Amino acid sequence: MYLRAEFLSLENMGKYDIRIERVKNSKIDEFDSSNLKFGKMLSEHMFVADYTDGKWQDARIIPYGNFEISPANSAIHYGQSIFEGMKAFKNDRGEILLFRPDMNAARFNRSAERMCMAQLPEDLFIEAIQELLRVDKNWIPDAPGSSMYIRPFMFATDSALGVKPSETYRFMVINSPSGPYYAEPVRVKIETDYTRAASGGTGAAKTAGNYAASLFPAQKAKQDGFDQIIWTDGATHTFIEEAGTMNIMFVIDGVLRTCPLTSTILPGVTRDSVLKYAAHKGMEINEAPIKVDELIAAIENKSLTEAFGVGTAVTVSHIKEISYKGKNHNLPPIESRPVANDIHNFLEKVKRGQIEDELGWITKFQ
Ligand code: COI
């Protein structure tokens, strides 16, 4: 059904009235969920809502497609643009499962605050995602290792060239039936020239510019045969921070180590979940700054037994090799890494509804 409700105010409603316009000719029969790549295919519908006159208005699910944008759009010129990454799965009863969506909703608003953008009611964030998944339920892939990658995002829509916060925004959700982000363990380089984030900057916000700034150093690293960069602190390049698509963790002397959350680190939902799960399992955890020299010494004296990245897109990504100042360090074999393998196994199974949700993280709906 297609109801026009252009200037519907969402503020005064208990439940958001999302109008739905479905595609006329669905392509679902042509959908092949085997051999999916990450983020290349998009499902048939998208969610859109606009912030004008101080209110979120006209919440709608419409066929996925292009839209017009002013050449003076302030997000293009000044970068007010934020996003989230989430995944949905279907269990064997055909229910849709989301993992800790409240965490993403809350982080979205923290990013919005830092980027001086409009706040979005957390229940609208979650309802938009749930309704869109219901509409495109048949696009949620079930091949092993696959998922529906969800990309909620918001950008400024004012058309003006003065540097100031936009007064209007668009919130959207698009969904991508996806395969794994990294299919294999990764080789990473510890970056000591370029900087991802400076203290007091936007490093803790999930904003487009952080990713833009990472592309050139990441491309250089790729040319040298690396999959990813491990960023170090911008001031001294002597402390480990994160990789651009994931937080970084190590097991050193049997202790799970990761750097603390500061203004330069993205507060990952997977990071938080791994730390909570490890604590639940009784593992010793240390969230303290990690010196690069300490890390290299731990590799050399073999007290480091595991290194891995954690994030929504990657879940858990084993690191097989770390390069620092031109020297490559091979890490222990993947099979001999009980901590990361157990965490990966737990997170994948709980997200897919294959084991009990003992930590209460799953939102389930039809
Ligand atoms: C995610 O893990 O969802 C991310 O946002 C990382 C990357 C794909 C941009």
Side-chain angles (χ1 to χ4, degrees):
M1 191 163 73
Y2 177 55
L3 292 175
R4 283 194 74 79
E6 294 274 324
F7 296 103
L8 181 72
S9 166
L10 301 173
E11 239 72 46
N12 300 324
M13 296 193 169
K15 178 142 171 32
Y16 298 102
D17 188 10
I18 301 172
R19 74 176 156 87
I20 299 176
E21 178 197 344
R22 290 178 188 268
V23 289
K24 291 204 171 56
N25 299 306
S26 173
K27 297 224 168 19
I28 190 64
D29 291 342
E30 295 162 28
F31 176 47
D32 174 7
S33 78
S34 56
N35 298 318
L36 289 168
K37 304 272 174 284
F38 179 84
K40 294 260 192 225
M41 173 187 279
L42 281 310
S43 70
E44 283 182 325
H45 297 89
M46 61 187 188
F47 175 92
V48 189
D50 290 308
Y51 185 82
T52 47
D53 302 327
K55 290 189 285 240
W56 285 102
Q57 318 214 28
D58 193 13
R60 56 210 188 266
I61 289 174
I62 54 176
Y64 181 90
N66 296 346
F67 52 84
E68 279 191 359
I69 201 158
S70 158
N73 169 279
S74 59
I76 295 176
H77 294 273
Y78 305 124
Q80 275 188 299
S81 172
I82 59 171
F83 69 95
E84 280 296 319
M86 301 161 71
K87 281 178 177 173
F89 301 89
K90 264 186 303 198
N91 66 14
D92 55 13
R93 288 199 298 280
E95 294 164 314
I96 304 171
L97 273 55
L98 281 172
F99 184 73
R100 308 185 77 188
D102 49 318
M103 294 280 287
N104 295 88
R107 186 174 64 182
F108 197 65
N109 274 334
R110 290 198 303 277
S111 298
E113 186 181 8
R114 179 62 184 84
M115 302 309 292
C116 214
M117 298 167 75
Q119 292 285 295
L120 182 80
E122 290 186 15
D123 54 358
L124 173 56
F125 178 95
I126 292 173
E127 196 170 318
I129 288 166
Q130 291 193 343
E131 283 307 311
L132 184 62
L133 285 168
R134 284 189 177 109
V135 170
D136 275 345
K137 183 171 181 176
N138 293 337
W139 292 87
I140 302 176
D142 41 26
S146 67
S147 63
M148 183 73 115
Y149 184 74
I150 305 165
R151 176 52 64 87
F153 58 107
M154 192 209 296
F155 57 95
T157 50
D158 273 11
S159 167
L161 294 180
V163 180
K164 67 176 190 56
S166 180
E167 287 171 10
T168 61
Y169 295 92
R170 176 163 286 185
F171 168 59
M172 298 186 64
V173 186
I174 56 175
N175 286 337
S176 171
S178 285
Y181 197 85
Y182 296 120
E184 301 292 334
V186 292
R187 297 181 69 213
V188 297
K189 172 190 161 186
I190 296 178
E191 179 63 60
T192 49
D193 294 325
Y194 298 99
T195 299
R196 173 184 172 274
S199 178
T202 59
K206 207 158 172 64
T207 183
N210 290 341
Y211 295 82
S214 75
L215 296 178
F216 181 67
Q219 186 185 52
K220 289 189 85 171
K222 211 165 207 114
Q223 282 159 0
D224 294 335
F226 300 103
D227 302 296
Q228 268 284 329
I229 283 171
I230 295 185
W231 297 103
T232 49
D233 68 290
T236 66
H237 292 296
T238 55
F239 288 94
I240 298 289
E241 297 232 302
E242 62 165 82
T245 56
M246 51 197 192
N247 296 110
I248 292 285
M249 298 195 174
F250 308 97
V251 180
I252 301 176
D253 286 325
V255 178
L256 183 61
R257 301 276 308 267
T258 194
C259 50
L261 293 180
T262 63
S263 66
T264 60
I265 307 281
L266 189 81
V269 175
T270 311
R271 176 190 181 283
D272 181 82
S273 308
V274 169
L275 294 178
K276 289 206 164 71
Y277 172 70
H280 175 70
K281 297 289 273 186
M283 189 169 184
E284 195 180 334
I285 294 163
N286 186 353
E287 274 182 82
I290 303 167
K291 275 203 134 180
V292 179
D293 286 348
E294 183 199 349
L295 180 77
I296 300 301
I299 298 173
E300 284 174 348
N301 70 25
K302 302 205 183 316
S303 56
L304 181 146
T305 49
E306 307 195 27
F308 53 101
V310 300
T312 299
V314 302
T315 310
V316 170
S317 176
H318 289 291
I319 297 172
K320 65 175 178 194
E321 191 180 314
I322 294 181
S323 168
Y324 180 52
K325 292 189 173 160
K327 186 168 176 204
N328 292 342
H329 302 266
N330 287 316
L331 303 188
I334 307 304
E335 321 73 74
S336 68
R337 301 192 187 187
V339 174
N341 285 329
D342 175 54
I343 290 168
H344 186 241
N345 195 34
F346 171 76
L347 287 177
E348 281 296 306
K349 288 196 163 153
V350 84
K351 286 180 183 183
R352 290 169 196 275
Q354 293 165 350
I355 56 173
E356 195 201 327
D357 175 23
E358 52 188 290
L359 291 159
W361 284 342
I362 300 297
T363 298
K364 217 186 281 180
F365 54 100
Q366 285 286 353

